[in-house]
């Protein structure tokens, strides 16, 4: 433990950099300037010196700050979401953090097993569980941690998904999860059910032992690996995402009675309309606008955003509420949606259907001619949507091509909406939110559930209109609750860490772009960089690099502001059908504005909401991972019949072990092992973000465009392996434009591009005819985000 100075022993001496780092690393719980000052007996004016030291250490990148305080870079915060993955030789549980952004392998956490009888009402943790764990550094093993389970988020995945392999004395299950590869489960004779060799099956793990293979029983044959259903089921089981509603939850949903006009303002004649994707089944927001009749706001507007009143149906601590919290959010796959709420609630009672009476919580905002929100008020209403429109439909009407649905509401609804948006757009541009240009790809399936094609939907003004209206409604919710002194869940987005900013600066320098240093960090700094490269070949690459430099947006009971949107306060309010955070905000507004008796319970504390925030942030991350991995598996299966085909791409990552390449126009990611590049040794130059040949100086740099050949498509793992064909840059920095004449190591014996991978599966793959088409590949993780607008913000 770092030495602590007793202030009574004399004049306190400021601690050294090493002492501070040791104290932060060794101290459990929150650590900030106050805790450091107390530990080292620093008071009064000496705190100024301490602040300067801390600032220097942060600038060096040795410490980073999050909402839990200071922590040493590469270390774990006091409380982490962790997966219990195995047992050690003594039978004790071992966990790994669910999210790890540090270097190398995620730290090992030795989980303390609770004593018998202690907290007996809680299930004991086991392998496969996901849990909130309070951790502390292990004094006997640097880089390792001990942990105590605070709460089990998802119980043991007794149902494991994998490929069944038959044998003479029973069979084996090969789990499909990447981190479980090689960890087989024995299936005794007679326990294989209807499974045949090579089938995708679900297995109940019936017995775990400290030694030997765990034993299991096949509970369900999911079918051939070519089924798209199998792909999404893999993601659901791997990430322990609840997808079957318990009987008690369904019964509660079925018993729900429709909300009436009682206690609500009657807004059924207001020209509210819904504007959503064409395939949307649940509609949780409706909008309208009109010119403000107030002479004091000449040229201004009254903008209304009405949101489905989910709080009217989901009571705190009910079966529906507990299940919604467990799920955290809806999860979107190409073929299905796993909803947060049963369909009786999400697609019926709460969905703002055209021409049907529905309860809603509405915010009416007064917008000035300059587009700035001047005031707002919340109302509990009964409304009726006057039209169900798709984005393209609304845009076409404004562009002079109305149809039978949009035509009747063109003058009453759409033109006022677009006029208000034109004003609000000016305020948005003046605010200067982060303006990343990242195409959102969408995987389209055919009638059999296989991949048909990947498209980039057109980004319309209708999309931006709805997005800006929702952002302002979210701001209004946060402002109202702050003013009322109500606890709430914020959507927070911290500014980029100094370490990531330095790395970004190096990448930009490698393509000849300078970034302004010093001053207050604002989104406009990144926007200026993006503007410099907007018309260059580096634009897609730099947009992705800037995105990577950003912190991840999360939920929190404390306000840190939203860096990306350049907003001081922000709370999710507009999607309570799909996000639990929004339901909490709705309840808080009902209570704060005196809109009913079904608001946030009076005994709710920020501490309680902080725990909820941790849980739903974790649920959001698991949903993103599941969505992304499902796309990866679909595309790997789709490309399985095109091994040997060549593709254009861009180097999206550089490591000691090789290059990551993202295929052009598709977004499919694959790996090029360093051992297969060229005929010399390539070293990793971290500063240059490149692999450099020792003899020739040939260089493959982050962002370079390359040609690759598909060597392997492993559908079960969702992985693609490439062989690079393009020449690298010369010592002078000139970019090679040709194809390697003599072939790489991969093509000279180390790999056979035409040989099928024995573990390869074809998820929804279709045989390609004629020349391979390098355009059918993966979608970005933001595809699902687009379906629930702003959820990743």
């Amino acid at each position: 433990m770092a030495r602590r100075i007793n202030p009574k022993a004399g004049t306190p001496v400021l601690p050294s950099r090493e002492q501070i780092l040791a104290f932060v690393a060794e101290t459990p719980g929150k650590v900030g300037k106050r805790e450091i000052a107390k530990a080292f007996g620093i008071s009064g004016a000496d705190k100024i010196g301490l602040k300067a030291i801390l600032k220097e250490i942060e600038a060096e990148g040795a410490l980073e700050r999050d909402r839990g305080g200071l922590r040493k870079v590469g270390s774990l915060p006091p409380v982490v979401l962790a997966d219990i993955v195995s047992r050690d030789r003594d039978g004790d549980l071992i966990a790994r953090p669910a999210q790890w952004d540090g270097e190398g392998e995620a730290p090992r956490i030795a989980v303390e097993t609770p004593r018998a009888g202690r907290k007996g009402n809680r299930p004991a943790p086991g392998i496969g569980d996901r849990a909130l764990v309070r951790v502390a550094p292990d004094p006997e093993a640097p880089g390792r941690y001990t942990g105590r389970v605070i709460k089990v988020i998802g119980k043991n995945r007794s149902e494991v998904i994998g490929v069944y392999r038959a044998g003479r004395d029973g069979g084996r299950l090969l789990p499909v999860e990447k981190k479980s590869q090689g960890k087989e489960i024995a299936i005794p004779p007679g326990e294989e059910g209807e499974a045949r060799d090579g089938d995708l099956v679900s297995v109940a793990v019936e017995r775990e032992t400290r030694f030997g293979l765990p034993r299991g029983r096949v509970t369900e044959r999911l079918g051939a690996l070519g089924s798209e259903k199998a792909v999404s089921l893999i993601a659901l089981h791997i990430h322990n995402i609840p997808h079957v509603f318990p009987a008690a939850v369904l019964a509660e949903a079925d018993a729900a009675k429709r909300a009436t006009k009682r206690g609500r303002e009657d807004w059924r004649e207001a020209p509210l309309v819904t504007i959503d994707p064409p395939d949307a089944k649940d509609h949780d927001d409706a909008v309208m606008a009109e010119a403000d009749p107030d002479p004091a706001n000449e040229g201004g507007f009254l903008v209304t955003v009405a949101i489905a009143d989910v709080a009217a149906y989901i009571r705190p601590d009910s079966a529906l509420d507990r299940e919604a919290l467990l799920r955290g959010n809806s999860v979107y796959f190409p073929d299905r949606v796993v909803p947060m709420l049963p369909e009786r609630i999400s697609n019926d009672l709460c969905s703002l259907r055209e021409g049907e009476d529905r309860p809603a919580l509405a915010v009416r905002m007064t917008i000035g001619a300059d587009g700035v929100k001047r005031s707002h008020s919340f109302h509990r209403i009964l409304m009726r949507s006057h039209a169900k429109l798709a984005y393209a439909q609304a845009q076409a009407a404004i562009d002079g091509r109305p149809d039978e649905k949009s035509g009747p509401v063109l003058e009453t609804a759409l033109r006022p909406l677009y006029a208000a948006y034109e004003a609000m757009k000016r305020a948005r541009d003046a605010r200067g939110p982060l303006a990343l240009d990242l195409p959102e790809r969408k995987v389209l399936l055919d009638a059999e559930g296989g991949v048909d094609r990947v498209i980039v939907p057109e980004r319309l003004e209708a999309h931006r209109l709805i997005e800006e209206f929702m952002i302002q409604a979210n701001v209004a919710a946060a402002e109202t609750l702050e003013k009322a002194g109500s606890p709430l869940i914020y959507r927070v987005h911290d500014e980029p860490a100094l370490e990531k900013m330095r790395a970004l600066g190096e990448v930009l320098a490698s393509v000849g772009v300078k970034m302004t240093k010093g001053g207050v960090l604002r989104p406009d700094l990144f926007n200026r960089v993006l503007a410099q490269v907007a018309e260059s070949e580096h634009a897609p690459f730099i947009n992705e690099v800037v995105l990577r430099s950003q912190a991840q947006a999360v939920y929190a009971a404390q306000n840190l502001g939203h860096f990306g949107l350049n907003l001081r306060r922000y709370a999710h309010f507009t999607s309570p059908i799909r996000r639990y955070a929004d339901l909490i905000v709705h309840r808080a507004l009902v209570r704060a504005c005196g809109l009913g008796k079904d608001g946030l319970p009076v005994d709710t504390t920020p501490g309680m909401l902080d725990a909820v925030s941790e849980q739903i942030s974790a649920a959001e991350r698991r949903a993103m991972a599941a969505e992304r991995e499902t796309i990866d598996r679909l595309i790997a299966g789709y490309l399985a019949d095109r091994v040997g085909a060549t593709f254009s791409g861009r180097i999206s990552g550089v490591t000691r072990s090789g290059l990551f390449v993202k295929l052009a126009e598709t977004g499919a990611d694959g790996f090029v092992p360093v051992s297969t590049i060229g005929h010399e040794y390539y070293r990793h130059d971290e500063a240059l973000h490149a692999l450099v040949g020792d003899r020739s100086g040939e260089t493959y740099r982050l962002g370079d465009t390359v040609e690759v050949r598909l060597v392997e498509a492993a559908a079960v793992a969702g992985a693609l392996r490439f062989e690079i064909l393009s020449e690298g840059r010369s010592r002078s920095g000139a970019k090679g434009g040709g194809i390697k004449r003599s072939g790489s190591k991969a093509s000279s014996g180390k790999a056979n591009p035409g040989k099928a991978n024995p573990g390869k599966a074809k998820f929804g793959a279709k045989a390609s005819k004629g020349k391979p088409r390098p355009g059918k590949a993966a979608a970005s993780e933001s595809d699902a985000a687009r379906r629930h607008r702003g959820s990743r913000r």
Side-chain angles (χ1 to χ4, degrees):
M1 177 65 73
R3 182 172 63 91
R4 304 183 185 189
I5 300 173
N6 186 345
K8 295 182 179 179
T11 303
V13 178
L14 290 176
S16 67
R17 174 184 181 279
E18 289 70 25
Q19 285 178 307
I20 291 175
L21 288 174
F23 176 73
V24 171
E26 297 168 6
T27 304
K30 180 178 179 180
V31 179
K33 187 178 73 172
R34 180 184 301 176
E35 287 74 22
I36 296 173
K38 183 177 180 181
F40 290 95
I42 300 169
S43 61
D46 291 322
K47 289 184 178 180
I48 298 175
L50 175 62
K51 182 178 180 180
I53 294 176
L54 292 177
K55 190 173 182 180
E56 287 179 9
I57 299 176
E58 282 189 75
E60 294 171 4
L63 282 180
E64 59 186 1
R65 186 185 301 273
D66 57 24
R67 59 193 183 89
L70 291 167
R71 63 186 175 99
K72 192 173 179 180
V73 169
S75 65
L76 295 179
V79 176
V80 298
L81 185 75
D83 292 321
I84 300 174
V85 295
S86 63
R87 294 182 185 272
D88 62 17
R89 293 182 179 179
D90 299 322
D92 294 326
L93 295 172
I94 301 300
R96 302 277 184 183
Q99 295 290 125
W100 174 246
D101 297 326
E103 295 291 330
E105 188 180 20
R108 175 183 183 274
I109 305 170
V111 179
E112 298 175 4
T113 304
R115 297 177 183 175
R118 185 182 178 189
K119 297 184 179 178
N121 60 325
R122 293 188 181 181
I127 295 176
D129 287 353
R130 177 161 284 187
L132 286 177
V133 181
R134 188 174 299 280
V135 301
D138 187 339
E140 299 178 0
R144 294 188 175 186
Y145 295 79
T146 59
R148 176 173 57 81
V149 172
I150 300 172
K151 182 178 181 180
V152 175
I153 301 299
K155 270 310 295 165
N156 193 323
R157 294 196 300 269
S158 57
E159 296 290 325
V160 178
I161 298 293
V163 179
Y164 175 72
R165 293 299 182 193
R168 277 188 254 174
D169 299 320
R172 298 286 175 92
L173 182 82
L174 308 179
V176 297
E177 191 173 2
K178 288 181 182 179
K179 65 182 179 183
S180 298
Q181 294 291 310
K183 299 177 182 177
E184 300 179 357
I185 297 172
I187 310 296
E191 299 290 353
E192 69 277 7
E194 299 179 356
R196 297 189 293 270
D197 185 66
D199 279 349
L200 187 70
V201 298
S202 178
V203 167
V205 180
E206 297 191 324
R207 191 175 73 185
E208 285 188 24
T209 61
R210 295 188 181 184
F211 306 100
L213 293 177
R215 302 179 66 173
R217 172 177 54 87
V218 174
T219 58
E220 184 180 3
R221 176 179 176 270
L222 301 176
L225 287 174
S227 163
E228 202 283 330
K229 174 188 175 184
V231 187
S232 52
L233 277 178
I234 288 173
L236 292 174
H237 282 263
I238 285 178
H239 293 281
N240 203 25
I241 295 174
H243 60 287
V244 177
F245 286 105
V249 174
L250 293 175
E252 198 171 276
D254 290 339
K257 297 180 179 179
R258 292 187 181 277
T260 65
K261 182 179 177 295
R262 186 176 180 181
R264 298 177 181 275
E265 299 176 43
D266 190 346
W267 286 23
R268 284 177 287 184
E269 298 304 315
L272 288 155
V273 297
T274 62
I275 304 177
D276 291 293
D279 55 352
K281 293 181 179 179
D282 52 5
H283 308 277
D284 50 11
D285 58 82
V287 293
M288 63 171 283
E290 57 186 322
D292 189 353
D294 186 351
N297 188 28
E298 185 177 355
F301 297 88
L302 298 178
V303 170
T304 297
V305 175
I307 305 299
D309 193 352
V310 177
Y313 295 102
I314 313 297
R315 299 290 190 269
D317 204 33
S318 63
L320 277 166
D321 183 53
R322 290 191 295 271
E323 183 70 13
L325 173 58
L326 178 65
R327 295 180 177 226
N329 49 245
S330 297
V331 186
Y332 294 84
F333 298 109
D335 72 320
R336 69 171 78 191
V337 176
V338 179
M340 184 180 79
L341 300 171
E343 286 192 11
R344 162 73 171 158
I345 303 294
S346 61
N347 291 357
D348 182 8
L349 296 179
C350 286
S351 186
L352 305 182
R353 293 178 174 178
E354 181 183 37
E356 298 185 23
D357 293 354
R358 287 292 184 269
L361 187 58
V363 55
R364 175 169 283 170
M365 299 175 284
T366 301
I367 307 295
D370 57 358
V372 175
K373 180 173 68 66
R374 295 187 172 186
S375 63
H376 65 267
S377 59
F378 282 90
H379 307 261
R380 217 167 189 188
I381 67 171
L382 190 69
M383 61 156 285
R384 183 182 297 159
S385 172
H386 285 229
K388 171 189 173 182
L389 302 174
Y391 287 113
Q393 200 173 18
Q395 189 65 53
I398 287 295
D399 293 342
R401 302 187 306 279
D403 59 19
E404 67 280 356
K405 185 63 70 69
S406 60
V409 296
L410 178 58
E411 298 302 328
T412 58
L414 292 178
R415 291 203 190 280
L417 282 170
Y418 274 77
Y421 170 63
E422 284 300 318
M424 296 171 72
K425 185 165 59 174
R426 291 193 289 272
R428 181 199 65 194
D429 293 342
R431 189 177 81 239
L434 188 59
L436 288 168
D437 181 18
L438 297 169
E440 296 182 348
R441 295 174 174 85
K442 181 177 181 180
V443 172
L444 299 181
L445 305 180
D446 58 23
E448 289 76 39
V451 177
D452 180 49
R453 65 188 188 278
V454 180
I455 64 170
V456 179
E458 185 182 2
R459 177 78 166 159
L460 304 171
E461 280 297 279
H463 292 100
R464 298 184 179 94
L465 180 153
I466 293 297
E467 182 177 87
E468 190 60 28
F469 280 28
M470 298 304 123
I471 288 173
Q472 292 305 319
N474 288 336
V475 171
E479 289 177 348
T480 293
L481 293 176
E482 271 196 4
K483 186 175 180 180
S486 170
L488 74 148
I489 291 179
Y490 292 93
R491 181 65 167 178
V492 300
H493 181 219
D494 210 350
E495 64 182 32
L498 290 172
E499 184 107 351
K500 289 188 176 181
M501 288 297 295
R502 276 198 294 271
L504 174 62
E506 291 173 358
V507 173
L508 293 175
S510 72
V511 296
V513 176
K514 291 185 177 180
M515 186 169 60
T516 306
K517 296 182 179 180
V520 178
L521 193 59
R522 297 186 186 280
D524 186 62
L525 169 66
F526 299 100
N527 291 342
R528 290 196 297 270
V529 168
L530 296 172
Q532 288 183 58
V533 300
E535 302 301 324
S536 74
E537 63 171 331
H538 303 298
F541 160 60
I542 296 300
N543 271 269
E544 288 199 18
V545 171
V546 169
L547 176 63
R548 291 183 195 180
S549 72
Q550 304 301 306
Q552 185 173 24
V554 296
Y555 295 107
Q558 298 82 32
N559 184 23
L560 297 179
H562 198 295
F563 177 81
L565 293 175
N566 199 13
L567 293 168
R568 295 179 61 187
R569 55 189 64 81
Y570 192 66
H572 274 167
F573 158 72
T574 55
S575 291
I577 291 176
R578 305 173 180 126
R579 299 184 303 224
Y580 192 80
D582 303 55
L583 177 55
I584 292 290
V585 170
H586 273 237
R587 289 173 178 163
L589 288 166
V590 168
R591 173 178 150 191
C593 300
L595 299 175
K597 297 181 180 180
D598 49 355
L600 199 65
V602 293
D603 59 350
T604 304
T605 65
M608 295 166 62
L609 294 187
D610 201 42
V612 171
S613 298
E614 290 278 359
Q615 187 168 340
I616 60 179
S617 293
E620 181 184 48
R621 289 192 293 271
R622 79 182 176 190
M624 292 170 64
E627 292 161 356
R628 182 176 62 247
E629 289 171 13
T630 296
I631 296 296
D632 289 345
R633 289 188 173 94
L634 275 171
I635 298 305
Y638 181 74
L639 294 176
D641 288 333
R642 294 162 62 195
V643 170
T646 60
F647 301 87
S648 296
R650 187 180 295 274
I651 297 175
S652 59
V654 182
T655 69
R656 292 183 182 86
S657 55
L659 304 171
F660 289 94
V661 174
K662 183 181 289 290
L663 299 185
E665 299 180 5
T666 67
D669 287 295
F671 187 64
V672 180
V674 67
S675 60
T676 67
I677 301 175
H679 298 281
E680 60 183 307
Y681 178 78
Y682 283 79
R683 58 182 174 80
H684 180 219
D685 188 322
E686 290 189 55
L688 194 59
H689 296 270
L691 291 178
V692 182
D694 266 0
R695 291 198 317 270
S696 66
E698 184 180 42
T699 300
Y700 291 95
R701 193 173 69 181
L702 188 69
D704 284 351
T705 54
V706 291
E707 292 285 320
V708 294
R709 176 182 292 124
L710 178 60
V711 174
E712 182 180 352
V716 169
L720 301 174
R721 183 160 63 87
F722 297 133
E723 169 194 359
I724 200 158
L725 302 176
S726 300
E727 295 177 348
R729 295 174 181 268
S730 66
R731 287 186 187 275
S732 64
K735 190 175 176 184
I739 303 299
K740 285 188 175 293
R741 297 177 181 174
S742 57
S744 69
K745 297 176 190 175
S747 60
S748 59
K750 289 235 174 185
N752 183 357
K755 186 177 180 181
N757 173 26
K760 180 177 68 180
K762 300 177 183 179
F763 288 141
K766 300 193 301 183
S768 57
K769 298 179 181 180
K771 186 178 179 180
R773 296 171 297 162
K776 313 290 187 183
S780 71
E781 70 183 27
S782 56
D783 292 333
R786 180 177 44 77
R787 300 188 60 137
H788 37 290
R789 291 180 297 271
S791 66
R792 300 303 188 232
R793 293 193 180 212

